[in-house]
Amino acid sequence: MAEIEREAMEYDVVIVGAGPAGLSAAIRLKQLDADINVVVLEKGSEVGAHILSGAVLDPCGLDALIPDWKEKGAPLNVPVKEDNFYMLGEAGKLRVPNWPMPPLMNNHGNYIVSMGNVCRWMAEQAEALGVEIFPGMACSELVYDDKGGIKGVVAGEFGKDADGSHGPNYEPGMELHGKYVFLSEGVRGSLAKQVIAKYDLSQGHEPQKFGIGMKEIWEIDPAKHKEGTVTHTMGWPLGGNAGGGSFIYHLENNQVYVGFVVHLNYKNPYLFPYMEFQRFKHHPMVAELLKGGKRVAYGARAISEGGYQSMPKMVAPGVALLGCSVGMVNVPRIKGNHNAMLSGKAAAEAAHAAIAAGRAGDELSDYETEVRTGAIGKDLKKVRNVKPFWSKWGLVPSLVLGGFDMWTNTLGFSLFGTQKHGKTDAEATEEASKHKPIDYPKPDGTLSFDRLTNVAFSFTNHEESQPAHLQLKDADVPVKVNLPKYAGPAARYCPAGVYEFVSEEGKDTRFVINFQNCVHCKTCDIKDPSQNINWVTPQGGDGPNYPNM
C-alpha cells in the first residue's frame, strides 16, 4: 500500500485529551504566553463525553490554576457536608468513626462534582484564552522526527472498512506537529502505552496497578436525598475475593452517584466485577436509598492504583505524559483529578520555559522533577503503601497498617519504607482449576440490571463498518488458552458485555468481540491473563456519550 500523504499543521504544543490534565496544561500555557499556539485533540464527540462523571474533587488543583474559579462560575456547587465510612456485612453495617483517620482522608473543603461538567467549563476557559480544541478527533498514530523523538500525532482518520482497507469515504486525517506533545489520554492510553514501551519508561519502577470503577447515576426520592453527603463502604460483597469498595455521593437535583470499584489484581478468574456491583445495590442500606428511584446513566472506567512507586518516567524526547497516563490517583482518597490538574500546570510551565529558551523536541526533565518532588509527589508518597498492604494481607490488616503508615507519613516518616507491588494485574490471575465458580443472583431489573441494558444508559455508539478497536495479537489464544486454562475471563471482566464465547452444536467454540458495546474502560487491555488484547482508539466521536448532568 502506498504511503499515506497527509497535510500537516504546526503548533508549539499539541495536547492529546481534553480531560482535567490536558485542559489545565492548555490553560496554563496561554496564561504564560498569549501568543503560544496550543491545540487540544479530544476523541469524544464533545469535551466531557468520555469523562465518567461523578467525583469528590479536591479544589487545590483548580486553586493553583484559576484562583478566581468561583467568580468565573466553575460548576463546583455541592460542598461535602458529611463523611461516612462503613464496613458492610451481607445484611448489616458497622460505622467506622472519622476521628482515627489521618487528616488527608478528611473531605472538608472538597466538592461533589460532575467532572464532565468541570471539563466542559475548563474548555470554555481555555477557548477564551485562544486555545484551539477539536472534539471528535481521535489520535491514531504518533509522528516521529528523524532522531527518533516524537514531533506530533495523526488525528482525524476516518472511513476505514472493517478489514482495515480504505473505504469510499476515507479521510487520511492530518499530522499535527508540535515542539512538544502532551499525552493526557487517561488510564492506559493507547499512545502513552506505545511511548512507555518504546522508551522503556517503566524501567526501574513498579508495575502499574489498576481497578475497574463502575458507576450509575440515580434520581432518588427527595425525602432520602441528603445533598453533600459522601459515603464509602468496604467489605461485602467482595469479602476476600477481591479488594475494592463502593462510594455514594449525593449531588444536586435529588441525584446520587452510586459507584463500585474492584481492584484488578484478583486471583479468581470466575470473579465478575460487574455483577459484584449489581449485588452490592441489594444491600439493605443501599436498596433502601434507591427504592423508588431510577437509574439515569451508567459507565465504567479503569482507575490507576499503583501510585507513587508505579509512576513511570514521564518524559521522552518531545513528549510528556500527564495525569492518569502516568497514574496519579491517591487510592485511599479515591481522588486523582486534583493531581491531574497540577500535572498539566507543571508540564505547561516546563514547556513554556523550554520554548522561551529556544528548545524543542527534548526531554522536559523539569516537569518530571516537579511532579516527583512537588505537591503531587508529596500527596502520593504519604499513601504509597496502602495498596500493596491491601494486596498482600487483605482488607482488615491493610486498614490497620495502612492507617498507621498514613499517620506516620503525615508526620514525615514511615516504618515500612516503600512496599513493592510485584505482579501485574494480568499475572495475578490464577488458573480456573484453583478456584470455584461464583453463583451470582440474576438482576431484578429494578435495582440491578444486566450489562447490555446498562450499556444503553452509557449512550455508547460505534460505527460498525470500521475495524474493531479491540485487537487480538493471536486470534487462537482466547479459545485455545484462556478458555481451558482460565475459564474465559473476558466474558466476565468486561463491564459492557463486549466479549463472549459462542458454542453451537456441531461447531467449534468461537470468541466474539462486540466492539460496538465498548465503553472504553480498558479493562481487557489490563486484565487479560495472556495479554492478548490491545485496545486502540476507534475513530473520533465513537464510544460513550456520558450525559451532561
Side-chain angles (χ1 to χ4, degrees):
M1 183 183 294
E3 185 174 342
I4 300 171
E5 294 187 7
R6 295 185 173 97
E7 295 182 14
M9 296 180 67
E10 303 292 331
Y11 290 89
D12 290 311
V13 180
V14 175
I15 300 173
V16 180
L23 290 169
S24 294
I27 289 169
R28 186 60 179 151
L29 284 163
K30 281 294 192 177
Q31 288 174 339
L32 292 166
D33 183 354
D35 294 325
I36 200 166
N37 295 315
V38 183
V39 64
V40 179
L41 304 165
E42 166 57 39
K43 67 182 174 67
S45 58
E46 64 170 340
V47 173
H50 289 179
I51 300 292
L52 183 54
S53 296
V56 173
L57 177 66
D58 181 339
C60 66
L62 210 51
D63 289 339
L65 184 69
I66 308 174
D68 58 344
W69 54 264
K70 287 185 180 179
E71 290 76 12
K72 290 186 174 179
L76 280 67
N77 303 321
V78 182
V80 175
K81 299 175 183 176
E82 183 179 344
D83 232 345
N84 301 309
F85 296 85
Y86 290 100
M87 186 74 71
L88 298 186
E90 186 168 359
K93 63 183 185 291
L94 176 66
R95 173 77 185 269
V96 180
N98 294 63
W99 62 263
M101 295 185 184
L104 62 89
M105 296 295 289
N106 189 344
N107 274 310
H108 178 74
N110 298 330
Y111 293 82
I112 301 172
V113 300
S114 158
M115 278 311 298
N117 284 346
V118 171
C119 288
R120 291 177 180 101
W121 176 83
M122 291 179 70
E124 292 172 0
Q125 309 310 303
E127 288 179 324
L129 293 170
V131 175
E132 295 181 41
I133 301 178
F134 298 130
M137 293 286 279
C139 297
S140 53
E141 297 178 37
L142 295 163
V143 180
Y144 296 91
D145 61 25
D146 55 7
K147 296 180 181 179
I150 291 172
K151 71 174 184 178
V153 295
V154 173
E157 187 176 22
F158 291 95
K160 283 186 176 181
D161 286 338
D163 61 0
S165 62
H166 297 170
N169 298 314
Y170 176 73
E171 298 177 25
M174 298 187 67
E175 291 188 5
L176 293 100
H177 298 165
K179 294 171 184 173
Y180 296 98
V181 175
F182 291 170
L183 299 181
S184 52
E185 303 169 287
V187 176
R188 197 78 163 191
S190 55
L191 298 184
K193 193 168 72 165
Q194 294 177 43
V195 169
I196 291 169
K198 179 177 176 62
Y199 299 102
D200 198 17
L201 301 186
S202 291
Q203 178 66 34
H205 303 279
E206 285 294 292
Q208 188 58 265
K209 306 294 286 183
F210 300 92
I212 173 64
M214 298 154 286
K215 187 179 302 177
E216 294 171 357
I217 302 177
W218 280 70
E219 291 179 358
I220 65 169
D221 182 347
K224 302 175 184 177
H225 187 253
K226 297 180 180 179
E227 185 175 299
T229 298
V230 167
T231 298
H232 292 102
T233 78
M234 295 168 287
W236 189 87
L238 290 172
N241 286 327
S246 82
F247 55 89
I248 302 173
Y249 303 152
H250 291 242
L251 64 157
E252 305 160 279
N253 304 318
N254 301 316
Q255 289 188 335
V256 294
Y257 298 127
V258 182
F260 199 80
V261 176
V262 177
H263 300 171
L264 288 177
N265 62 349
Y266 61 83
K267 298 177 181 179
N268 185 351
Y270 290 110
L271 189 84
F272 198 157
Y274 175 85
M275 290 306 297
E276 296 286 351
F277 174 32
Q278 298 307 302
R279 182 160 62 166
F280 157 75
K281 290 182 292 177
H282 287 273
H283 187 277
M285 181 185 78
V286 186
E288 178 56 32
L289 175 70
L290 301 180
K291 184 179 178 181
K294 65 176 181 178
R295 161 217 46 183
V296 296
Y298 166 75
R301 196 67 184 268
I303 303 166
S304 59
E305 295 185 339
Y308 184 79
Q309 55 270 60
S310 293
M311 292 192 295
K313 184 180 178 184
M314 303 165 207
V315 294
V319 66
L321 308 182
L322 277 55
C324 279
S325 292
V326 175
M328 299 182 181
V329 171
N330 183 314
V331 171
R333 297 184 75 200
I334 320 182
K335 292 178 181 65
N337 289 305
H338 63 298
N339 286 335
M341 292 178 183
L342 292 171
S343 77
K345 179 176 179 288
E349 290 169 351
H352 172 259
I355 292 169
R359 291 160 46 199
D362 59 345
E363 293 190 1
L364 293 172
S365 57
D366 287 350
Y367 162 61
E368 175 135 8
T369 299
E370 170 59 26
V371 169
R372 294 194 185 277
T373 63
I376 298 171
K378 291 174 182 176
D379 181 54
L380 297 178
K381 192 171 185 179
K382 291 178 183 178
V383 302
R384 65 191 183 278
N385 291 326
V386 173
K387 170 68 174 178
F389 282 160
W390 200 333
S391 300
K392 292 176 183 177
W393 293 307
L395 176 57
V396 174
S398 74
L399 284 177
V400 176
L401 292 174
F404 177 75
D405 194 51
M406 284 191 285
W407 265 113
T408 59
N409 272 286
T410 300
L411 300 173
F413 68 95
S414 173
L415 297 177
F416 300 100
T418 298
Q419 297 290 304
K420 295 182 180 295
H421 292 302
K423 298 178 180 178
T424 67
D425 292 330
E427 292 168 339
T429 313
E430 295 182 346
E431 294 185 18
S433 60
K434 297 181 179 180
H435 299 275
K436 295 180 180 179
I438 301 172
D439 183 25
Y440 290 98
K442 184 178 180 181
D444 67 359
T446 303
L447 284 177
S448 51
F449 313 97
D450 66 80
R451 282 183 295 185
L452 296 186
T453 298
N454 240 353
V455 167
F457 284 80
S458 69
F459 309 100
T460 293
N461 181 64
H462 292 86
E463 171 56 53
E464 296 187 18
S465 64
Q466 68 182 301
H469 64 280
L470 302 160
Q471 301 175 347
L472 298 180
K473 299 174 185 177
D474 184 336
D476 291 333
V477 163
V479 172
K480 293 186 177 180
V481 178
N482 287 354
L483 186 58
K485 191 172 183 180
Y486 302 102
R492 290 177 293 279
Y493 59 57
C494 174
V498 168
Y499 304 102
E500 58 180 327
F501 291 87
V502 178
S503 299
E504 298 172 313
E505 189 174 349
K507 297 181 179 180
D508 293 335
T509 299
R510 295 180 294 119
F511 185 61
V512 176
I513 301 177
N514 304 298
F515 74 87
Q516 303 91 336
N517 296 348
C518 179
V519 294
H520 298 194
C521 73
K522 320 286 182 61
T523 302
C524 54
D525 194 299
I526 297 163
K527 185 60 176 172
D528 183 72
S530 300
Q531 286 294 275
N532 189 52
I533 299 174
N534 184 37
W535 193 101
V536 301
T537 186
Q539 65 185 17
D542 285 4
N545 286 277
Y546 293 127
N548 184 358
M549 307 180 95

mmCIF file of all heavy atoms in Angstrom, residues 225-261:
data_model
loop_
_atom_site.group_PDB
_atom_site.id
_atom_site.type_symbol
_atom_site.label_atom_id
_atom_site.label_comp_id
_atom_site.label_asym_id
_atom_site.label_seq_id
_atom_site.Cartn_x
_atom_site.Cartn_y
_atom_site.Cartn_z
ATOM 1 N N HIS A 225 -32.845 12.130 49.937
ATOM 2 C CA HIS A 225 -31.681 12.812 49.398
ATOM 3 C C HIS A 225 -31.066 13.737 50.436
ATOM 4 O O HIS A 225 -31.770 14.504 51.098
ATOM 5 C CB HIS A 225 -32.086 13.618 48.153
ATOM 6 C CG HIS A 225 -30.929 14.229 47.433
ATOM 7 N ND1 HIS A 225 -30.660 15.577 47.465
ATOM 8 C CD2 HIS A 225 -29.958 13.665 46.679
ATOM 9 C CE1 HIS A 225 -29.581 15.823 46.748
ATOM 10 N NE2 HIS A 225 -29.138 14.681 46.261
ATOM 11 N N LYS A 226 -29.740 13.657 50.592
ATOM 12 C CA LYS A 226 -29.019 14.497 51.545
ATOM 13 C C LYS A 226 -27.838 15.133 50.812
ATOM 14 O O LYS A 226 -26.724 14.607 50.826
ATOM 15 C CB LYS A 226 -28.540 13.666 52.731
ATOM 16 C CG LYS A 226 -29.664 13.055 53.557
ATOM 17 C CD LYS A 226 -29.111 12.242 54.718
ATOM 18 C CE LYS A 226 -30.224 11.617 55.546
ATOM 19 N NZ LYS A 226 -29.682 10.805 56.670
ATOM 20 N N GLU A 227 -28.117 16.262 50.158
ATOM 21 C CA GLU A 227 -27.108 16.917 49.330
ATOM 22 C C GLU A 227 -25.825 17.157 50.133
ATOM 23 O O GLU A 227 -25.860 17.648 51.252
ATOM 24 C CB GLU A 227 -27.653 18.249 48.810
ATOM 25 C CG GLU A 227 -26.712 18.954 47.840
ATOM 26 C CD GLU A 227 -27.327 20.207 47.238
ATOM 27 O OE1 GLU A 227 -28.365 20.079 46.557
ATOM 28 O OE2 GLU A 227 -26.770 21.295 47.462
ATOM 29 N N GLY A 228 -24.691 16.778 49.523
ATOM 30 C CA GLY A 228 -23.401 16.973 50.170
ATOM 31 C C GLY A 228 -22.909 15.809 50.994
ATOM 32 O O GLY A 228 -21.831 15.869 51.583
ATOM 33 N N THR A 229 -23.684 14.711 51.034
ATOM 34 C CA THR A 229 -23.282 13.535 51.818
ATOM 35 C C THR A 229 -22.394 12.611 50.994
ATOM 36 O O THR A 229 -22.711 12.291 49.843
ATOM 37 C CB THR A 229 -24.512 12.770 52.320
ATOM 38 O OG1 THR A 229 -25.262 13.608 53.187
ATOM 39 C CG2 THR A 229 -24.104 11.512 53.070
ATOM 40 N N VAL A 230 -21.315 12.187 51.592
ATOM 41 C CA VAL A 230 -20.363 11.264 50.963
ATOM 42 C C VAL A 230 -20.304 9.998 51.808
ATOM 43 O O VAL A 230 -20.090 10.063 53.021
ATOM 44 C CB VAL A 230 -18.963 11.905 50.875
ATOM 45 C CG1 VAL A 230 -17.903 10.865 50.534
ATOM 46 C CG2 VAL A 230 -18.955 13.031 49.846
ATOM 47 N N THR A 231 -20.512 8.848 51.180
ATOM 48 C CA THR A 231 -20.458 7.564 51.878
ATOM 49 C C THR A 231 -19.523 6.617 51.131
ATOM 50 O O THR A 231 -19.632 6.472 49.901
ATOM 51 C CB THR A 231 -21.853 6.931 51.984
ATOM 52 O OG1 THR A 231 -22.705 7.787 52.738
ATOM 53 C CG2 THR A 231 -21.792 5.571 52.658
ATOM 54 N N HIS A 232 -18.620 5.998 51.861
ATOM 55 C CA HIS A 232 -17.757 4.952 51.301
ATOM 56 C C HIS A 232 -17.959 3.668 52.093
ATOM 57 O O HIS A 232 -18.166 3.713 53.315
ATOM 58 C CB HIS A 232 -16.283 5.363 51.370
ATOM 59 C CG HIS A 232 -15.930 6.503 50.471
ATOM 60 N ND1 HIS A 232 -15.774 7.792 50.921
ATOM 61 C CD2 HIS A 232 -15.726 6.546 49.130
ATOM 62 C CE1 HIS A 232 -15.470 8.578 49.914
ATOM 63 N NE2 HIS A 232 -15.440 7.851 48.810
ATOM 64 N N THR A 233 -17.908 2.535 51.398
ATOM 65 C CA THR A 233 -18.031 1.253 52.079
ATOM 66 C C THR A 233 -16.936 0.297 51.633
ATOM 67 O O THR A 233 -16.369 0.432 50.542
ATOM 68 C CB THR A 233 -19.393 0.576 51.814
ATOM 69 O OG1 THR A 233 -19.389 -0.040 50.507
ATOM 70 C CG2 THR A 233 -20.543 1.563 51.911
ATOM 71 N N MET A 234 -16.664 -0.675 52.482
ATOM 72 C CA MET A 234 -15.738 -1.766 52.187
ATOM 73 C C MET A 234 -16.365 -3.053 52.700
ATOM 74 O O MET A 234 -17.366 -3.017 53.412
ATOM 75 C CB MET A 234 -14.388 -1.520 52.848
ATOM 76 C CG MET A 234 -13.640 -0.310 52.329
ATOM 77 S SD MET A 234 -12.217 0.153 53.354
ATOM 78 C CE MET A 234 -13.059 0.857 54.763
ATOM 79 N N GLY A 235 -15.765 -4.184 52.326
ATOM 80 C CA GLY A 235 -16.265 -5.469 52.807
ATOM 81 C C GLY A 235 -17.194 -6.139 51.810
ATOM 82 O O GLY A 235 -16.834 -6.362 50.661
ATOM 83 N N TRP A 236 -18.417 -6.460 52.256
ATOM 84 C CA TRP A 236 -19.377 -7.163 51.414
ATOM 85 C C TRP A 236 -19.716 -6.322 50.181
ATOM 86 O O TRP A 236 -19.811 -5.104 50.273
ATOM 87 C CB TRP A 236 -20.650 -7.443 52.217
ATOM 88 C CG TRP A 236 -21.617 -8.342 51.508
ATOM 89 C CD1 TRP A 236 -21.630 -9.705 51.532
ATOM 90 C CD2 TRP A 236 -22.695 -7.948 50.654
ATOM 91 N NE1 TRP A 236 -22.653 -10.189 50.755
ATOM 92 C CE2 TRP A 236 -23.323 -9.129 50.189
ATOM 93 C CE3 TRP A 236 -23.182 -6.718 50.198
ATOM 94 C CZ2 TRP A 236 -24.405 -9.115 49.319
ATOM 95 C CZ3 TRP A 236 -24.256 -6.698 49.334
ATOM 96 C CH2 TRP A 236 -24.875 -7.889 48.906
ATOM 97 N N PRO A 237 -19.929 -6.918 49.003
ATOM 98 C CA PRO A 237 -19.963 -8.358 48.713
ATOM 99 C C PRO A 237 -18.617 -8.975 48.348
ATOM 100 O O PRO A 237 -18.542 -10.186 48.154
ATOM 101 C CB PRO A 237 -20.917 -8.427 47.520
ATOM 102 C CG PRO A 237 -20.653 -7.162 46.774
ATOM 103 C CD PRO A 237 -20.397 -6.116 47.844
ATOM 104 N N LEU A 238 -17.557 -8.171 48.231
ATOM 105 C CA LEU A 238 -16.296 -8.715 47.743
ATOM 106 C C LEU A 238 -15.652 -9.671 48.746
ATOM 107 O O LEU A 238 -15.116 -10.708 48.355
ATOM 108 C CB LEU A 238 -15.332 -7.575 47.414
ATOM 109 C CG LEU A 238 -15.691 -6.739 46.183
ATOM 110 C CD1 LEU A 238 -14.772 -5.530 46.071
ATOM 111 C CD2 LEU A 238 -15.621 -7.581 44.919
ATOM 112 N N GLY A 239 -15.712 -9.310 50.036
ATOM 113 C CA GLY A 239 -15.072 -10.162 51.032
ATOM 114 C C GLY A 239 -13.612 -10.388 50.691
ATOM 115 O O GLY A 239 -12.885 -9.454 50.350
ATOM 116 N N GLY A 240 -13.173 -11.636 50.758
ATOM 117 C CA GLY A 240 -11.785 -11.961 50.451
ATOM 118 C C GLY A 240 -11.527 -12.247 48.985
ATOM 119 O O GLY A 240 -10.399 -12.571 48.605
ATOM 120 N N ASN A 241 -12.558 -12.138 48.144
ATOM 121 C CA ASN A 241 -12.375 -12.464 46.724
ATOM 122 C C ASN A 241 -11.582 -11.404 45.971
ATOM 123 O O ASN A 241 -10.934 -11.699 44.970
ATOM 124 C CB ASN A 241 -13.738 -12.635 46.041
ATOM 125 C CG ASN A 241 -14.410 -13.937 46.421
ATOM 126 O OD1 ASN A 241 -13.739 -14.944 46.645
ATOM 127 N ND2 ASN A 241 -15.734 -13.922 46.498
ATOM 128 N N ALA A 242 -11.683 -10.146 46.416
ATOM 129 C CA ALA A 242 -11.000 -9.061 45.724
ATOM 130 C C ALA A 242 -10.978 -7.845 46.626
ATOM 131 O O ALA A 242 -11.808 -7.683 47.517
ATOM 132 C CB ALA A 242 -11.703 -8.720 44.404
ATOM 133 N N GLY A 243 -10.030 -6.946 46.377
ATOM 134 C CA GLY A 243 -10.038 -5.655 47.036
ATOM 135 C C GLY A 243 -11.004 -4.726 46.334
ATOM 136 O O GLY A 243 -11.363 -4.930 45.176
ATOM 137 N N GLY A 244 -11.430 -3.687 47.035
ATOM 138 C CA GLY A 244 -12.324 -2.715 46.423
ATOM 139 C C GLY A 244 -13.334 -2.192 47.418
ATOM 140 O O GLY A 244 -13.224 -2.412 48.630
ATOM 141 N N GLY A 245 -14.315 -1.494 46.915
ATOM 142 C CA GLY A 245 -15.344 -0.918 47.762
ATOM 143 C C GLY A 245 -16.270 -0.035 46.960
ATOM 144 O O GLY A 245 -16.226 -0.027 45.731
ATOM 145 N N SER A 246 -17.101 0.714 47.674
ATOM 146 C CA SER A 246 -18.126 1.495 46.985
ATOM 147 C C SER A 246 -18.070 2.950 47.394
ATOM 148 O O SER A 246 -17.417 3.333 48.377
ATOM 149 C CB SER A 246 -19.519 0.956 47.310
ATOM 150 O OG SER A 246 -19.970 1.463 48.559
ATOM 151 N N PHE A 247 -18.772 3.779 46.642
ATOM 152 C CA PHE A 247 -18.976 5.176 47.020
ATOM 153 C C PHE A 247 -20.387 5.598 46.623
ATOM 154 O O PHE A 247 -20.933 5.152 45.615
ATOM 155 C CB PHE A 247 -17.941 6.096 46.371
ATOM 156 C CG PHE A 247 -17.853 5.999 44.871
ATOM 157 C CD1 PHE A 247 -18.649 6.778 44.051
ATOM 158 C CD2 PHE A 247 -16.949 5.118 44.281
ATOM 159 C CE1 PHE A 247 -18.555 6.691 42.664
ATOM 160 C CE2 PHE A 247 -16.852 5.024 42.896
ATOM 161 C CZ PHE A 247 -17.662 5.811 42.087
ATOM 162 N N ILE A 248 -20.982 6.440 47.454
ATOM 163 C CA ILE A 248 -22.306 7.009 47.177
ATOM 164 C C ILE A 248 -22.214 8.500 47.482
ATOM 165 O O ILE A 248 -21.963 8.881 48.627
ATOM 166 C CB ILE A 248 -23.406 6.350 48.032
ATOM 167 C CG1 ILE A 248 -23.455 4.832 47.778
ATOM 168 C CG2 ILE A 248 -24.761 6.983 47.743
ATOM 169 C CD1 ILE A 248 -24.404 4.088 48.714
ATOM 170 N N TYR A 249 -22.386 9.317 46.452
ATOM 171 C CA TYR A 249 -22.265 10.761 46.598
ATOM 172 C C TYR A 249 -23.598 11.426 46.261
ATOM 173 O O TYR A 249 -24.131 11.235 45.165
ATOM 174 C CB TYR A 249 -21.197 11.328 45.657
ATOM 175 C CG TYR A 249 -19.812 10.725 45.809
ATOM 176 C CD1 TYR A 249 -18.938 10.678 44.713
ATOM 177 C CD2 TYR A 249 -19.356 10.223 47.023
ATOM 178 C CE1 TYR A 249 -17.667 10.152 44.824
ATOM 179 C CE2 TYR A 249 -18.090 9.687 47.142
ATOM 180 C CZ TYR A 249 -17.242 9.654 46.044
ATOM 181 O OH TYR A 249 -15.977 9.126 46.161
ATOM 182 N N HIS A 250 -24.105 12.224 47.187
ATOM 183 C CA HIS A 250 -25.353 12.951 46.965
ATOM 184 C C HIS A 250 -25.043 14.325 46.365
ATOM 185 O O HIS A 250 -24.483 15.187 47.055
ATOM 186 C CB HIS A 250 -26.108 13.141 48.289
ATOM 187 C CG HIS A 250 -26.657 11.873 48.858
ATOM 188 N ND1 HIS A 250 -28.014 11.668 49.049
ATOM 189 C CD2 HIS A 250 -26.054 10.742 49.301
ATOM 190 C CE1 HIS A 250 -28.205 10.475 49.586
ATOM 191 N NE2 HIS A 250 -27.022 9.895 49.750
ATOM 192 N N LEU A 251 -25.380 14.529 45.110
ATOM 193 C CA LEU A 251 -25.153 15.820 44.468
ATOM 194 C C LEU A 251 -26.453 16.602 44.412
ATOM 195 O O LEU A 251 -27.321 16.473 45.278
ATOM 196 C CB LEU A 251 -24.530 15.639 43.088
ATOM 197 C CG LEU A 251 -25.322 14.911 42.003
ATOM 198 C CD1 LEU A 251 -24.800 15.328 40.628
ATOM 199 C CD2 LEU A 251 -25.167 13.394 42.136
ATOM 200 N N GLU A 252 -26.607 17.436 43.386
ATOM 201 C CA GLU A 252 -27.794 18.274 43.268
ATOM 202 C C GLU A 252 -28.976 17.497 42.697
ATOM 203 O O GLU A 252 -28.852 16.371 42.222
ATOM 204 C CB GLU A 252 -27.491 19.462 42.342
ATOM 205 C CG GLU A 252 -26.292 20.300 42.745
ATOM 206 C CD GLU A 252 -25.762 21.106 41.582
ATOM 207 O OE1 GLU A 252 -25.020 20.540 40.762
ATOM 208 O OE2 GLU A 252 -26.104 22.296 41.485
ATOM 209 N N ASN A 253 -30.122 18.156 42.715
ATOM 210 C CA ASN A 253 -31.314 17.708 41.975
ATOM 211 C C ASN A 253 -31.741 16.278 42.306
ATOM 212 O O ASN A 253 -32.158 15.522 41.422
ATOM 213 C CB ASN A 253 -31.072 17.841 40.457
ATOM 214 C CG ASN A 253 -30.693 19.255 40.063
ATOM 215 O OD1 ASN A 253 -31.276 20.216 40.565
ATOM 216 N ND2 ASN A 253 -29.708 19.383 39.188
ATOM 217 N N ASN A 254 -31.614 15.906 43.579
ATOM 218 C CA ASN A 254 -32.035 14.574 44.044
ATOM 219 C C ASN A 254 -31.296 13.438 43.346
ATOM 220 O O ASN A 254 -31.813 12.331 43.236
ATOM 221 C CB ASN A 254 -33.550 14.394 43.869
ATOM 222 C CG ASN A 254 -34.344 15.428 44.639
ATOM 223 O OD1 ASN A 254 -34.045 15.716 45.793
ATOM 224 N ND2 ASN A 254 -35.346 16.014 43.986
ATOM 225 N N GLN A 255 -30.090 13.733 42.894
ATOM 226 C CA GLN A 255 -29.293 12.705 42.230
ATOM 227 C C GLN A 255 -28.191 12.199 43.147
ATOM 228 O O GLN A 255 -27.663 12.937 43.985
ATOM 229 C CB GLN A 255 -28.679 13.249 40.939
ATOM 230 C CG GLN A 255 -29.704 13.485 39.836
ATOM 231 C CD GLN A 255 -29.047 13.822 38.524
ATOM 232 O OE1 GLN A 255 -27.928 14.312 38.472
ATOM 233 N NE2 GLN A 255 -29.750 13.560 37.433
ATOM 234 N N VAL A 256 -27.856 10.916 42.958
ATOM 235 C CA VAL A 256 -26.717 10.330 43.657
ATOM 236 C C VAL A 256 -25.859 9.567 42.648
ATOM 237 O O VAL A 256 -26.366 8.977 41.686
ATOM 238 C CB VAL A 256 -27.136 9.371 44.801
ATOM 239 C CG1 VAL A 256 -27.832 10.124 45.919
ATOM 240 C CG2 VAL A 256 -27.995 8.235 44.288
ATOM 241 N N TYR A 257 -24.559 9.640 42.864
ATOM 242 C CA TYR A 257 -23.624 8.785 42.135
ATOM 243 C C TYR A 257 -23.439 7.523 42.961
ATOM 244 O O TYR A 257 -23.029 7.588 44.129
ATOM 245 C CB TYR A 257 -22.267 9.458 41.966
ATOM 246 C CG TYR A 257 -22.277 10.732 41.170
ATOM 247 C CD1 TYR A 257 -21.715 11.898 41.683
ATOM 248 C CD2 TYR A 257 -22.828 10.787 39.894
ATOM 249 C CE1 TYR A 257 -21.691 13.070 40.954
ATOM 250 C CE2 TYR A 257 -22.816 11.956 39.155
ATOM 251 C CZ TYR A 257 -22.248 13.102 39.690
ATOM 252 O OH TYR A 257 -22.227 14.261 38.965
ATOM 253 N N VAL A 258 -23.713 6.382 42.382
ATOM 254 C CA VAL A 258 -23.517 5.097 43.049
ATOM 255 C C VAL A 258 -22.416 4.366 42.290
ATOM 256 O O VAL A 258 -22.581 4.032 41.111
ATOM 257 C CB VAL A 258 -24.814 4.256 43.061
ATOM 258 C CG1 VAL A 258 -24.583 2.944 43.808
ATOM 259 C CG2 VAL A 258 -25.961 5.038 43.679
ATOM 260 N N GLY A 259 -21.295 4.149 42.949
ATOM 261 C CA GLY A 259 -20.165 3.555 42.253
ATOM 262 C C GLY A 259 -19.551 2.399 43.008
ATOM 263 O O GLY A 259 -19.734 2.243 44.222
ATOM 264 N N PHE A 260 -18.817 1.582 42.278
ATOM 265 C CA PHE A 260 -18.215 0.382 42.850
ATOM 266 C C PHE A 260 -16.878 0.138 42.160
ATOM 267 O O PHE A 260 -16.794 0.192 40.926
ATOM 268 C CB PHE A 260 -19.138 -0.817 42.646
ATOM 269 C CG PHE A 260 -18.855 -1.985 43.552
ATOM 270 C CD1 PHE A 260 -19.314 -1.991 44.864
ATOM 271 C CD2 PHE A 260 -18.133 -3.071 43.103
ATOM 272 C CE1 PHE A 260 -19.064 -3.065 45.704
ATOM 273 C CE2 PHE A 260 -17.879 -4.156 43.930
ATOM 274 C CZ PHE A 260 -18.347 -4.153 45.245
ATOM 275 N N VAL A 261 -15.847 -0.102 42.961
ATOM 276 C CA VAL A 261 -14.502 -0.327 42.442
ATOM 277 C C VAL A 261 -14.040 -1.724 42.823
ATOM 278 O O VAL A 261 -14.177 -2.142 43.984
ATOM 279 C CB VAL A 261 -13.508 0.718 42.998
ATOM 280 C CG1 VAL A 261 -12.089 0.418 42.521
ATOM 281 C CG2 VAL A 261 -13.930 2.127 42.596
#
